[in-house]
Amino acid sequence: MKHIKTAIFGLALAATAGAANADQGLITFTGAVSDSTCVVSGGNGSNGAFGNFTVALDPVRTTALDAAAKTAGRKGFEVVFSNGQGGSCATAAITKAHFRFVGSSPSVNIDGRMKNVLGLTGAANVDLQMLDESNAVIDLTNHTRKDVTLATTGPTAIRYGVQYYATGVATAGNVRSDVIYEASYD
């Protein structure tokens, strides 16, 4: 009987020791408090999302990009400043918006264009080139800022364009890139 009690006591210690080794972890919470009344969203030519939005270019044929410096598939899009509900975000204290593309974005190359981040699985010899509202090329490494006066009766939009740019004879495949932007207000 003495051996049975010792065995049961040993099992109880093993069960207790297992419970003492429970998993632990860390939960991190982040957030922000802002006094800004403006939000940035994609307008015409985009998926319309707030903050991070997508502009989907139409496919083009490789024959349109069969030599270096050829461009094709221009797509216009808007960057919209609003109160997030389709109205103006202008206030007595906020009357202007300042917008710029960040040239140090990981996808921006030294030529001021956005490289195709799909690598070997995407179209080869194809960059994306940013255009302003008059279709002039924007060198993304210049950090040029666009200043606009906010409309008082509705959203305010800045118009841009993007197009495919051949760095050589393009090969077929998908293209994906991105650029970081910054917006500020006063």
Side-chain angles (χ1 to χ4, degrees), residues 31-129:
V33 178
S34 172
D35 63 356
S36 176
T37 60
C38 292
V39 295
V40 177
S41 65
N44 291 333
S46 78
N47 67 350
F50 290 100
N52 301 328
F53 55 91
T54 302
V55 176
L57 281 77
D58 293 329
V60 296
R61 297 195 179 276
T62 55
T63 55
L65 299 170
D66 60 0
K70 282 186 122 179
T71 62
R74 183 192 181 283
K75 171 83 178 251
F77 69 97
E78 294 177 333
V79 175
V80 178
F81 302 93
S82 73
N83 65 358
Q85 300 170 349
S88 173
C89 62
T91 66
I94 298 174
T95 60
K96 293 189 182 299
H98 312 286
F99 183 85
R100 74 179 186 97
F101 298 106
V102 178
S104 59
S105 299
S107 297
V108 174
N109 61 27
I110 61 171
D111 298 313
R113 296 185 300 268
M114 296 168 285
K115 63 185 174 186
N116 186 1
V117 298
L118 296 178
L120 298 175
T121 63
N125 299 321
V126 178
D127 286 348
L128 296 178
Q129 187 174 56

Side-chain angles (χ1 to χ4, degrees), residues 124-145:
N125 299 321
V126 178
D127 286 348
L128 296 178
Q129 187 174 56
M130 194 71 71
L131 306 168
D132 68 13
E133 61 188 0
S134 64
N135 292 327
V137 173
I138 297 174
D139 179 345
L140 294 174
T141 62
N142 284 342
H143 303 280
T144 303
R145 187 173 91 173

